[in-house]
Amino acid sequence: MNTLAISCKHYQEGACRSCTTLTIPYLQQVAQKEQILRDLLTPFLTKCEWQKSCLSPATHFRNKAKMVVNGSVECPILGILPQPFDSKTAVDLCDCPLYPIEFKNIFVVLKDFIARAGLVPYNVAKNKGELKYILLTQSQKTQKLMLRFVLRSEAKRTLIERELPKLLMRLPQLEVVSLNIQPKNAAILEGEQEILLTSTPFLLEYFNQIPLFIRPQGFFQTNPKVAAELYAMAAKWIDEWLDKRITLNACCEVWDLFCGSGGFGLHVAKMLTKKYSIKLTGIEISASAIECAKRSATQLNLQNVNFQALDVAHFDFVNQRRPDVVIVNPPRRGIGEKVVAFLEKLQPTMILYSSCNAQTMVQDFARLPSYHLTKVQLFDMFPHTSHYEVLAFLQKN
């Protein structure tokens, strides 16, 4: 009898346990996450409005597949290595129900390409072979694809380039193809060196009519539907807050810290620009992410937008005009004591906090005594796991 939240033969056979909560009905999964979040936020819920959680499709919601390559060059296996490790029983996940349906047929073509290009799968135990991973990403708006081969070296580059035109003929939706060189025999997904094999360096995506660019080696949300709702809700909350406090056409200064490719800031600037004069400053350590954000701003014809490639911890908080709104979307470690201290000293009127780790988010809240939590919403970005995204609205006391 199938007691899983979704049908998955790999889980039933005990071959894959990546979806750690798959035996729990989906709505019950979300309810458990909500309770965990409520428990973490208990000290801050006195004046807080709890918003209904944003749900995800249960299947086919991911836009990206990270496939370990195993098996032989003639018969490659794309999926995961089992735990405990045994190279003879690698698990093929080409029909994983989390991926877009069309990925299954695309993987068939990629397996044939691996054989034609002589890409010997890497063997961890023997430290031999070349091809370690295949990373495949799809734009949900355009259906175009980005394909990355993670290799131990450049030894097979000539063969890959020789066979690439045939691959592009078979998969015309391929827009970005690159090689990532990861020479270490360690559990590291990718290396620093990226070799672009196509003329297009970015994959175009749209969330809520906002163009965003997916780049090799860059972070991008893997659940497009929920991510689009997250960005739209952030802009909506800021709009509702401004509507009660400033007049139409008034200037509103917005900072987007840890901005990545600009998803939050661009949504606010585009969706609110008809009502207010938005001045947006985006800060992100990755220069390639800032390049993507600037490209999006240009395509949207946004004015008064300034994206800077800079470590947030080194941003000059002291000599800046106090912003009306600060958006923060930090990595799992949270904002950190230094940046929190700057915000507490700077005293922006509101802080919008997006978090993929509620525990570090709560630690940051405790360091902001001048603010109280007014709204919170859970976004189930990662169904069938214990992970989730949180959007929180902090207002100055």
Side-chain angles (χ1 to χ4, degrees):
M1 181 178 178
N2 183 10
T3 60
L4 305 183
I6 61 173
S7 178
C8 179
K9 69 176 184 180
H10 305 293
Y11 193 99
Q12 289 176 312
E13 294 170 357
C16 178
R17 285 292 186 266
S18 299
C19 295
T20 55
T21 61
L22 203 60
T23 57
I24 303 172
Y26 179 59
L27 292 181
Q28 188 177 336
Q29 292 179 32
V30 177
Q32 289 183 359
K33 294 178 183 182
E34 289 175 342
Q35 188 58 56
I36 292 170
L37 181 58
R38 282 184 184 273
D39 291 344
L40 285 170
L41 290 174
T42 296
F44 309 98
L45 293 179
T46 305
K47 301 178 181 179
C48 180
E49 178 185 340
W50 191 279
Q51 304 280 304
K52 184 178 179 181
S53 294
C54 176
L55 305 183
S56 169
T59 60
H60 310 302
F61 56 83
R62 286 184 61 90
N63 63 359
K64 183 176 183 177
K66 301 178 182 179
M67 310 295 271
V68 175
V69 184
N70 203 256
S72 66
V73 67
E74 299 86 3
C75 188
I77 297 172
L78 306 181
I80 59 172
L81 296 178
Q83 298 295 329
F85 173 73
D86 179 355
S87 62
K88 294 182 180 180
T89 55
V91 181
D92 194 298
L93 295 181
C94 290
D95 59 348
C96 173
L98 306 188
Y99 300 147
I101 296 173
E102 55 270 27
F103 272 25
K104 184 177 180 180
N105 292 330
I106 293 170
F107 287 134
V108 173
V109 176
L110 294 181
K111 287 181 178 180
D112 182 63
F113 177 83
I114 290 169
R116 290 176 179 274
L119 299 179
V120 179
Y122 182 72
N123 186 300
V124 177
K126 297 179 180 180
N127 193 21
K128 291 183 178 180
E130 282 296 324
L131 182 57
K132 296 185 173 184
Y133 298 93
I134 279 181
L135 309 178
L136 184 66
T137 306
Q138 181 187 61
S139 165
Q140 300 300 289
K141 177 67 175 181
T142 68
Q143 302 300 298
K144 297 290 187 178
L145 299 171
M146 178 168 69
L147 172 65
R148 302 171 63 209
F149 297 97
V150 181
L151 302 163
R152 184 170 69 157
S153 72
E154 293 187 52
K156 297 292 184 178
R157 178 176 176 176
T158 301
L159 289 174
I160 292 173
E161 291 178 328
R162 184 195 70 187
E163 295 295 327
L164 185 58
K166 299 174 186 176
L167 178 64
L168 295 176
M169 287 183 65
R170 294 185 68 183
L171 295 176
Q173 65 271 47
L174 269 177
E175 191 157 75
V176 182
V177 181
S178 68
L179 310 181
N180 180 273
I181 310 303
Q182 201 288 85
K184 298 179 181 179
N185 184 27
I188 302 172
L189 180 62
E190 57 188 74
E192 296 181 2
Q193 184 183 4
E194 194 84 18
I195 302 169
L196 194 66
L197 300 184
T198 50
S199 59
T200 306
F202 306 113
L203 191 65
L204 177 62
E205 180 63 282
Y206 280 86
F207 289 165
N208 309 304
Q209 289 76 55
I210 306 293
L212 297 170
F213 293 90
I214 309 173
R215 67 198 191 283
Q217 294 186 298
F219 168 79
F220 201 87
Q221 298 286 8
T222 57
N223 190 326
K225 178 184 180 296
V226 176
E229 295 196 38
L230 173 68
Y231 292 141
M233 186 60 69
K236 181 175 182 289
W237 284 4
I238 293 174
D239 184 24
E240 291 173 346
W241 180 82
L242 291 176
D243 192 50
K244 299 175 183 177
R245 285 162 182 83
I246 69 174
T247 59
L248 290 178
N249 300 317
C251 181
C252 176
E253 186 154 344
V254 179
W255 289 2
D256 187 1
L257 307 183
F258 309 94
C259 70
S261 298
F264 283 102
L266 291 166
H267 272 75
V268 172
K270 179 61 177 177
M271 293 182 173
L272 276 61
T273 193
K274 292 181 179 180
K275 295 176 64 175
Y276 314 105
S277 177
I278 302 294
K279 181 181 178 183
L280 173 64
T281 299
I283 304 296
E284 165 62 43
I285 195 170
S286 169
S288 62
I290 289 298
E291 182 182 349
C292 290
K294 289 179 176 178
R295 184 182 293 248
S296 296
T298 299
Q299 192 162 320
L300 289 167
N301 196 30
L302 293 174
Q303 308 299 317
N304 296 321
V305 173
N306 179 25
F307 285 105
Q308 301 179 41
L310 184 68
D311 188 339
V312 171
H314 297 152
F315 181 56
D316 183 8
F317 288 89
V318 177
N319 296 314
Q320 300 286 338
R321 177 174 171 241
R322 187 179 74 178
D324 301 286
V325 177
V326 173
I327 304 168
V328 292
N329 182 28
R332 291 191 60 81
R333 65 178 181 272
I335 300 175
E337 291 188 39
K338 185 176 180 180
V339 177
V340 170
F342 276 131
L343 291 177
E344 178 66 23
K345 183 177 180 179
L346 192 66
Q347 298 274 297
T349 313
M350 71 154 291
I351 299 172
L352 194 70
Y353 196 128
S354 177
S355 173
C356 60
N357 185 348
Q359 291 184 331
T360 56
M361 177 187 72
V362 168
Q363 292 171 8
D364 288 335
F365 287 178
R367 302 187 187 112
L368 291 165
S370 298
Y371 292 83
H372 64 275
L373 185 64
T374 61
K375 286 184 182 180
V376 67
Q377 185 171 6
L378 186 149
F379 290 78
D380 193 26
M381 200 80 74
F382 314 102
H384 319 307
T385 75
S386 60
H387 302 291
Y388 52 90
E389 195 90 9
V390 184
L391 188 65
F393 186 103
L394 296 164
Q395 187 171 326
K396 191 168 65 172
N397 295 333

